[in-house]
Amino acid sequence: MKNRFLLLIILFLSIFAESKEINELPSMQKFDSLKAKAQESINTNQEIIYLDSMLNMAQAMDSLRLECQTMSFLARNYYNRMNVDSLMYWANRAIDLSLKHEFYPSYFDAFSLVCSWELYEKDYDSALDKANRLYQMAKDLDNVDGMIASYETIGLIYMETFRYVEAVKSFKEGLSLQKQQVNPRYAYQFQFLSYIIESYLKLKDYKNVNDCLVEAYALVEECDLEQRNFPVERCLWLLNSYNAEMYVLQKMPKEAKIYMSEARKYDHVDDFYVFCYYHIVCSSYYMLIGDYHSALDNVDMVLAETDDDYLPALKLKAELLMRAGKEREAAALYYKSVNLIDSTYNESLSKQINQLRTIHEVDKLELKNKQIELEAGRLKLTVTLVFLVVLMIALIVVVIHSFYLKRMKKVLEKSDEDLKRDKEKLLISERALSSIIEKLETENRFKDDFLISLSHEINNSLKSIAGFSTELENFMVNEEHKKCVSNINESSELLKKIMDETICLSLLQTDRTPMAYENLEIIQFCRERVLEIESQLALGVTVNFRCSLDRFILQTDVARLKQVLDILLADAVKVTKEGEISLICLISHEMNVVQFIVESTELGISQNMYDMVKFESIDNNDSHTQGVNLRMAICNVLVNRLEGSLSIDTDYKQGTRVVLSHPIVNN
């Protein structure tokens, strides 16, 4: 007793000191400072002292608006602390004064508190009547604060009568309107979120419970960081209790215990509602883990504060007694709970609630229709404006276009003379170009004729050299001299082939003969190519042909394809002294290509010379690779005519692999 008295003395002294500091400020600053202090000590006796000071100051300032606002704050404090007499006194004073002077935010706040209290006291007829009046007045005044208060009240009615789905809809509409306010009330937003979370917990919709909890935690954190006057500890106490209840309902005691421990950090906060909710959750948790003694202690704490008339606590205690084997006591509590439910949810009340819901839904439809009409009017006005703008733009474009046409006509008249002069110059240039082309074609033909004549003369000389060297070889006795004569023969033969291939390449590059495409059965064609080279193979070398099909028709220029394959196979024969040569035919409809692959077990063309299609020079004295660039250049020209490609597989390490790709369908 002495300790309490001492605490009261300290409390009054601290308030007196703060009041002394406040009195030194201007009037409005004093009021705002007191208001901040009151919000910091929300739902406590200290808040009442600050609010009384605010009321006296508002009366001294002759500000009826601030007086009404302070009265509604007093009413909410007594509502949260379950002091019905003081609640009704201040709420009715706020209602009368604010309605008389049309301070509607304070009016709706106080009126909804009275309605909610009557609902808590189970005076449902009066509560429903007030809810209807509240909604109709908010609707008639088109007042957002009134609509928010009516959505809260209607949602609470639905909650009290176990219509949780309708309750969630009503609370969400109120929350949406609150978020749209220019100066949103964050405590009010949290209150709506708490109602929604409780409704989802009753529905066991844990996903939505979790989503709303995340939003509520974020709101509390934001208000705490921005140092707004916000009951952070009360809100965290309640949110952790919600989390614990969610895990208790899902029979997850480990997770529930974590949040119960977090909630216990704030049980020093003076809030009757959260106190009851927290201890109900604790009781449910202890019942889940089988600690019935602790569960009964917690539920009895709630019943002691609510005069044994709190339905959730009664039902929970009845279940605990049943599990503890006290069936008679449990039956008595169940009977009392059923009577409370029956008195809550009678037929008359159900009809009134349905009537309220019908009025609410009809008004929503009317509002929606008005919004549609308004949108239609706006759309019509927008269309008209767009039409006028388009018409003006069209007129401006026509005027600008007419000026532009006149100007362009002058420019075109002037340009016409320039075009005539340019045309004459162009004709002169065309004639000069035709003359140059004819000259080039004549020179090109002369070059070809010269190369052919040169080749003919060189071939004749090489034949003579070959003939004399053959005769000379017959007279040679010394082996070294014979080898020299043999080298003369080989070199003259190689020179003859180089000249032939040079002429061939030159003629191919200047040839404009169109491709002669025809159907070719390539499997038999490939077998014939293999048979032709069998007689040219070195001793011990084998040749084979592989294909997965027995027959395939390809459209191609047969002569050009034969020439390419013959060159590739001949080169393979020339370089392969042992092992084998393979001709492989692969057909891919997905890639639209036939691949002719020539493989030899010896390295015919070194890896660093694989880019032969660029026709680079090769510094190589090996007689097996002499003339490779010319032959590959010939192959490249022929393959380009066939619209295919030629490459050496540099990843192939067992010898040489040359790949000729031919399209199945030519463009």
Side-chain angles (χ1 to χ4, degrees), residues 538-542 572-573 575-581 600-603:
L539 188 62
V541 178
T542 59
V573 170
V575 299
T576 306
K577 300 306 179 183
E578 60 181 16
E580 65 175 354
I581 299 169
S600 61
T601 55
E602 293 192 19
L603 186 62

Side-chain angles (χ1 to χ4, degrees), residues 101-252:
H101 296 283
E102 298 183 354
F103 300 133
Y104 293 117
S106 299
Y107 169 80
F108 287 120
D109 277 354
F111 199 95
S112 66
L113 288 172
V114 174
C115 185
S116 299
W117 181 260
E118 290 180 347
L119 191 63
Y120 178 78
E121 289 289 293
K122 300 180 177 56
D123 188 359
Y124 295 112
D125 290 334
S126 178
L128 281 166
D129 178 61
K130 284 184 171 59
N132 272 314
R133 284 164 53 195
L134 182 69
Y135 181 76
Q136 289 296 335
M137 188 170 184
K139 175 190 166 188
D140 294 340
L141 293 172
D142 195 22
N143 187 282
V144 176
D145 292 302
M147 295 302 297
I148 292 171
S150 67
Y151 281 131
E152 179 187 12
T153 306
I154 292 167
L156 288 171
I157 290 171
Y158 286 140
M159 279 185 74
E160 283 293 314
T161 53
F162 317 117
R163 300 186 178 198
Y164 299 110
V165 175
E166 289 93 335
V168 168
K169 291 180 182 177
S170 184
F171 291 138
K172 281 189 173 181
E173 288 176 354
L175 179 62
S176 176
L177 284 177
Q178 182 58 244
K179 288 179 178 179
Q180 294 171 21
Q181 295 283 73
V182 177
N183 297 311
R185 296 157 67 181
Y186 297 100
Y188 220 164
Q189 285 187 31
F190 182 85
Q191 190 167 310
F192 274 111
L193 281 170
S194 67
Y195 292 148
I196 294 168
I197 291 168
E198 288 184 35
S199 300
Y200 278 135
L201 282 169
K202 296 297 182 184
L203 294 168
K204 296 186 178 180
D205 186 349
Y206 303 122
K207 182 183 182 302
N208 279 314
V209 169
N210 191 65
D211 292 343
C212 292
L213 281 169
V214 170
E215 185 178 353
Y217 275 116
L219 179 64
V220 173
E221 184 179 359
E222 179 186 350
C223 292
D224 191 27
L225 288 173
E226 296 184 11
Q227 298 181 339
R228 296 193 181 106
N229 295 314
F230 189 83
V232 173
E233 290 190 337
R234 175 192 182 272
C235 295
L236 290 174
W237 190 14
L238 186 58
L239 290 178
N240 285 310
S241 299
Y242 288 148
N243 257 315
E245 182 182 9
M246 179 175 68
Y247 287 113
V248 167
L249 290 172
Q250 296 179 81
K251 293 182 172 47
M252 301 168 69

Side-chain angles (χ1 to χ4, degrees), residues 370-509:
K370 287 181 181 179
Q371 288 176 342
I372 291 171
E373 290 175 5
L374 183 62
E375 289 296 326
R378 288 176 180 172
L379 181 62
K380 187 176 180 181
L381 179 62
T382 303
V383 170
T384 304
L385 288 172
V386 169
F387 176 75
L388 290 173
V389 170
V390 170
L391 185 61
M392 289 182 65
I393 292 172
L395 288 172
I396 292 170
V397 169
V398 168
V399 172
I400 293 172
H401 188 62
S402 61
F403 281 113
Y404 177 75
L405 287 176
K406 288 180 180 178
R407 184 179 176 186
M408 286 303 297
K409 186 177 179 181
K410 293 179 181 179
V411 172
L412 288 172
E413 287 174 354
K414 184 179 179 182
S415 300
D416 189 46
E417 296 177 1
D418 295 336
L419 285 173
K420 288 178 181 178
R421 287 194 295 270
D422 291 341
K423 185 178 179 181
E424 291 175 0
K425 292 179 181 177
L426 184 61
L427 289 172
I428 294 169
S429 298
E430 284 181 355
R431 293 191 201 100
L433 183 61
S434 298
S435 175
I436 292 169
I437 290 171
E438 288 177 4
K439 185 177 180 182
L440 288 174
E441 288 178 348
T442 302
E443 291 176 354
N444 202 31
R445 283 194 298 271
F446 175 77
K447 181 199 72 171
D448 292 341
D449 292 341
F450 173 75
L451 284 173
I452 293 169
S453 299
L454 179 63
S455 175
H456 179 71
E457 293 297 329
I458 291 174
N459 280 337
N460 287 337
S461 300
L462 289 174
K463 285 178 183 179
S464 299
I465 292 170
F468 285 121
S469 62
T470 301
E471 290 295 327
L472 184 60
E473 187 177 5
N474 294 329
F475 291 102
M476 292 296 173
V477 178
N478 191 313
E479 288 299 325
E480 186 177 349
H481 293 168
K482 284 185 177 183
K483 187 175 181 181
C484 291
V485 174
S486 177
N487 287 339
I488 293 171
N489 283 331
E490 289 178 3
S491 297
S492 62
E493 185 64 28
L494 177 60
L495 182 58
K496 182 177 181 299
K497 286 183 179 179
I498 289 171
M499 285 304 302
D500 290 340
E501 287 168 356
T502 303
I503 298 299
C504 178
L505 180 60
S506 176
L507 293 175
L508 282 172
Q509 288 175 335

